[in-house]
Amino acid sequence: TIRRCELCQGAEYENKADRLISVGPDTWVHVMCLAWSSDTFVMVDGQILLGKKAIQRGKRSKCFKCQQFGATVGCCQRFCKKNYHFACAREDGCFFRD
């Protein structure tokens, strides 16, 4: 069975979104897809908190670029409502703010 990211549906290393990590039974996400999601918080030690909230929101949110569900990376421009998958945002030339 090929493991796929719950957010972008990509396989491991398939879309340059890093490796897959387990966030539950048979539930996988790319590190970068989760880390850049607007519903998560990355701790100093690298732990990613609130990942399940991002996955739930992604089931309802379409990507501005590819129009597929799983988009949890929000635009940081004021008043912009665009959401992306991490890899789609990179391809579209989006700016990432720490």
Side-chain angles (χ1 to χ4, degrees):
T1 304
I2 296 175
R3 297 182 301 183
R4 297 210 169 267
C5 176
E6 287 289 317
L7 298 174
C8 75
Q9 299 304 311
E12 195 157 21
Y13 300 109
E14 182 177 79
N15 65 3
K16 301 181 182 109
D18 211 354
R19 63 187 173 85
L20 288 169
I21 57 173
S22 175
V23 292
D26 297 319
T27 306
W28 300 87
V29 292
H30 287 113
V31 171
M32 298 305 280
C33 288
L34 190 57
W36 285 101
S37 292
S38 57
D39 293 320
T40 60
F41 182 76
V42 181
M43 303 290 287
V44 175
D45 65 1
Q47 289 184 69
I48 302 172
L49 304 178
L50 305 174
K52 292 193 187 267
K53 185 176 179 182
I55 293 169
Q56 291 303 315
R57 188 171 68 85
K59 291 178 181 180
R60 302 181 310 271
S61 180
K62 282 189 178 182
C63 178
F64 179 77
K65 183 176 188 321
C66 73
Q67 296 300 304
Q68 300 298 311
F69 285 102
T72 58
V73 179
C75 180
C76 61
Q77 294 284 336
R78 191 172 178 176
F79 303 116
C80 182
K81 302 288 186 199
K82 294 177 185 175
N83 284 300
Y84 290 90
H85 298 110
F86 172 77
C88 290
R90 286 182 53 182
E91 289 173 15
D92 231 22
C94 293
F95 173 76
F96 291 88
R97 183 175 17 184
D98 287 354

